[in-house]
C-alpha cells in the first residue's frame, strides 16, 4: 500500500497572489466623493423575447472563467508584504449581478444617467470588487449591461479582457477547486522575503529605471489656471460622440499622425470651444495620457501596469495644423519602455497617502487639465446570449479637481468618445459635446468617402 503523505490529504492551496504597486496606488488614492472605479455600458439588440433568467445564468457560469471575479483583497499578516487576492468562500453572484429598469423615457440619455450612478456607487470592499447591472426597459427592445470594476481589480485593458470572457464564444471556465484555501503563513512570509531580495537585486538598475520614468512623465510644469480644475463632486454626467474609425485613421495618416493623435486633436479643439464660451483661454491644454506597460491583457494577468504621460497640446490653429503639431509632440515623448513611470508614480502616491497628502494633492493639483484614455476594443462583433452587442461605451469618472475626462474605445469600426463631467461644474456640457461633434464632422468630410450621409453621432445625459 502506498504510504500516505501529508500533502495527499491536505487540500490544495492557492498561490501567493498579491496586489501590485499600481494596484496599491489605486487603493491609496481611493478617497473623496468619487470612487476609483471604471466601467463600460454595453447596449444589446435583444429583441422582445430575450430571457433574463438565462442571461443571469450565463453570467454566473462565465464568471468562473475569471478567477479574480470570485476573489477578494485582504491584508497580509503583519510584516508579510502587500495585500493578497484569495478566493472568497462566501462568494454569492447575487451580490454582484443586478437587474434594474431604466428610468423613463428609456432612451440613451436615461441609460447613461443610470450608468454614471451605478459606476459612482462604491463597491463593498469586503467582497469581490465588481458588479454587472442588466438594464431593462430600453426603447427598441434593447438591453443595457453596465459593468463596473474597482481600479484595483483591473485597468482598462484588463477590464476589456474580463468583459470578453462574459461574451458568447469565450473560452469556458478552467476546472479547479473553489474556493482554494488561502496560502499558509509560512508561504506568505517566504514569498514576502523573496520579493524583498529581488527588489534589492534590482537596486543597481534603479537609476536607469528612474531616468526612463522621468522621460515618460516629463518635467512637471504648472498648467494655466482655468475652470477645468475645480474640486469634483459625486454627481457626474455622461455624453458620447461617435465617429467612423476609417475616417479618423485616414485623416490622421494624411497629417502624419495616429488615431490617438487625432483624438487628442479633436478633444483639444472642443475644449478650446468650451473655454471660449466661458470667456477663458489657455495657451495649451495639458492632458494626462495613460501608457500601458503591456500591449495586451488577459484575465490571468490583471491588475494595473499603467504609467502616465502628461502631454502639453497646442490649442491654436485649425484641426489639421493641430494634428500635425500634436503628432510631432507625441512622437518625441514616446518612450522605448512604455509604462516606465508606473511603479515610481505608484510608490510616490503611496508615500503621499501615508503622509495624508493625497486628498490635498488631488483637489489642488496644477499638473494637468484633463485626462484622455484610448483603448483598442474588439474589431469583430460580440454577442451575449445570442443578442448582438451594438455598442460599448467606456466610462472613467472625473476625479480630484479634473472636472472633465475623456475615454475613447474602438469597436467594429466605430470610435466612441465618452465625456464624463462634474454635473455642477459643467452645466455647459452640451457645448463641449457639440464642439466635439463638429470637430469629428470636419474630419469625416476630408478624403475619400466624404460624401456619405452618415456623420458622427452624439448623446448627452
Amino acid at each position: 500500500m502506498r504510504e500516505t503523505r501529508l500533502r495527499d490529504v491536505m487540500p490544495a492551496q492557492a498561490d501567493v497572489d498579491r496586489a501590485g504597486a499600481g494596484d496599491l496606488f489605486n487603493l491609496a488614492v481611493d478617497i473623496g466623493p468619487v470612487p476609483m472605479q471604471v466601467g463600460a455600458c454595453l447596449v444589446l439588440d435583444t429583441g422582445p423575447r430575450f430571457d433574463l433568467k438565462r442571461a443571469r445564468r450565463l453570467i454566473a457560469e462565465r464568471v468562473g472563467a475569471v478567477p479574480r471575479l470570485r476573489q477578494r483583497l485582504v491584508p497580509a499578516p503583519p510584516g508579510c508584504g502587500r495585500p493578497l487576492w484569495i478566493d472568497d468562500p462566501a462568494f454569492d453572484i447575487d451580490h454582484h449581478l443586478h437587474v434594474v429598469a431604466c428610468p423613463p423615457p428609456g432612451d440613451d440619455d436615461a441609460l447613461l444617467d443610470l450608468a454614471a450612478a451605478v459606476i459612482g456607487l462604491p463597491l463593498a470592499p469586503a467582497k469581490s470588487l465588481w458588479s454587472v447591472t442588466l438594464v431593462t426597459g430600453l426603447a427598441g427592445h434593447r438591453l443595457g449591461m453596465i459593468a463596473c470594476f474597482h481600479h484595483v481589480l483591473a485597468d482598462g485593458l484588463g477590464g476589456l479582457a474580463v468583459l470578453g470572457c462574459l461574451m458568447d464564444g469565450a473560452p469556458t471556465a478552467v476546472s479547479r477547486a473553489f474556493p482554494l484555501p488561502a496560502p499558509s503563513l509560512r508561504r506568505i512570509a517566504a514569498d514576502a522575503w523573496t520579493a524583498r531580495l529581488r527588489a534589492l537585486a534590482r537596486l543597481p538598475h534603479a537609476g536607469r529605471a528612474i531616468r526612463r520614468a522621468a522621460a515618460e512623465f516629463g518635467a512637471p510644469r504648472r498648467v494655466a489656471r482655468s475652470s477645468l480644475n475645480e474640486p469634483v463632486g459625486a454627481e457626474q454626467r455622461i455624453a458620447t460622440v461617435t465617429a467612423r474609425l476609417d475616417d479618423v485613421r485616414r485623416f490622421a495618416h494624411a497629417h502624419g499622425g495616429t488615431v490617438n493623435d487625432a483624438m487628442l486633436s479633436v478633444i483639444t479643439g472642443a475644449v478650446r470651444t468650451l473655454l471660449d464660451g466661458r470667456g477663458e483661454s489657455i495657451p495649451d491644454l495639458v492632458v494626462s495620457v495613460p501608457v500601458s506597460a503591456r500591449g495586451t491583457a488577459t484575465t490571468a494577468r490583471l491588475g494595473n501596469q499603467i504609467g502616465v504621460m502628461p502631454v502639453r497640446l497646442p490649442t491654436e490653429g485649425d484641426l489639421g495644423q493641430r494634428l500635425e503639431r500634436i503628432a510631432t509632440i507625441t512622437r518625441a515623448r514616446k518612450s522605448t519602455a512604455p509604462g516606465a513611470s508606473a511603479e515610481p508614480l505608484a510608490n510616490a502616491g503611496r508615500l503621499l497617502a501615508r503622509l495624508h497628502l493625497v486628498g490635498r494633492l488631488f483637489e489642488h493639483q496644477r499638473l494637468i487639465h484633463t485626462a484622455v484614455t484610448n483603448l483598442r476594443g474588439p474589431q469583430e462583433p460580440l454577442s451575449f446570449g445570442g443578442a448582438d452587442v451594438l455598442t460599448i461605451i467606456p466610462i472613467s469618472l472625473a476625479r480630484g479637481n479634473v472636472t472633465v475626462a475623456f475615454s475613447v474605445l474602438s469597436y467594429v469600426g466605430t470610435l466612441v468618445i465618452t465625456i464624463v463631467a462634474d454635473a455642477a461644474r459643467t452645466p455647459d456640457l452640451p457645448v463641449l459635446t457639440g464642439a466635439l461633434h463638429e470637430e469629428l464632422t470636419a474630419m469625416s468630410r476630408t478624403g475619400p468617402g466624404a460624401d456619405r450621409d452618415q456623420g458622427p453621432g452624439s448623446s448627452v445625459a
Side-chain angles (χ1 to χ4, degrees), residues 37-44 59 69 96-98 111 114-116 118-121 123 129-135 144-150 153 158-164 166-167 238 392-397:
Q37 294 170 187
V38 296
C41 181
L42 286 68
V43 180
L44 284 66
I59 293 174
L69 297 184
H96 308 277
L97 180 56
H98 315 285
L111 176 62
L114 181 61
V118 167
I119 297 174
L121 184 66
L123 295 163
L129 295 170
W130 66 277
S131 71
V132 167
T133 302
L134 300 177
V135 184
M145 179 185 288
I146 303 169
C148 174
F149 308 102
H150 194 287
L153 188 145
L160 282 176
V162 172
L163 279 177
L166 300 181
M167 297 295 109
I238 298 177
I392 303 175
I393 301 167
I395 300 172
S396 182
L397 301 177

Side-chain angles (χ1 to χ4, degrees), residues 275-354:
L275 293 179
D276 285 346
R278 297 177 178 179
E280 303 176 41
S281 65
I282 53 177
D284 41 35
L285 181 73
V286 182
V287 175
S288 174
V289 179
V291 183
S292 179
R294 56 191 176 190
T296 59
T298 67
T299 55
R301 190 167 171 251
L302 293 173
N304 291 264
Q305 297 183 37
I306 301 293
V308 174
M309 186 173 71
V311 186
R312 196 169 289 267
L313 306 176
T315 58
E316 298 302 320
D318 63 23
L319 180 58
Q321 292 169 338
R322 287 198 311 274
L323 178 51
E324 290 171 3
R325 292 175 63 190
I326 287 171
T328 301
I329 292 167
T330 57
R331 278 196 299 270
R333 291 294 309 279
K334 285 178 182 176
S335 169
T336 56
S341 62
E343 188 160 351
L345 287 176
N347 291 334
R350 290 161 55 202
L351 175 61
L352 291 171
R354 292 193 185 102

Side-chain angles (χ1 to χ4, degrees), residues 359-378:
R360 179 172 179 79
L361 174 65
F362 265 44
E363 290 191 356
H364 300 280
Q365 64 83 28
R366 292 278 305 281
L367 297 177
I368 63 168
H369 290 116
T370 187
V372 178
T373 301
N374 193 346
L375 294 171
R376 186 178 188 275

Side-chain angles (χ1 to χ4, degrees), residues 379-395:
Q379 296 310 300
E380 296 296 328
L382 299 177
S383 65
F384 173 78
D388 292 337
V389 175
L390 301 176
T391 188
I392 303 175
I393 301 167
I395 300 172

Side-chain angles (χ1 to χ4, degrees), residues 213-264:
E216 183 170 88
F217 189 74
R221 291 168 52 193
R222 291 169 71 86
V223 301
R225 288 190 178 277
S226 78
S227 56
L228 297 171
N229 293 122
E230 300 287 349
V232 170
E235 186 180 354
Q236 314 242 326
R237 301 180 67 208
I238 298 177
T240 63
V241 181
T242 61
R244 287 182 294 264
L245 178 59
D246 284 346
D247 290 344
V248 175
R249 183 184 290 115
R250 180 168 48 249
F251 188 88
H253 291 177
H255 292 271
T258 64
V259 169
N260 190 57
D261 295 328
M263 288 296 97
L264 293 176

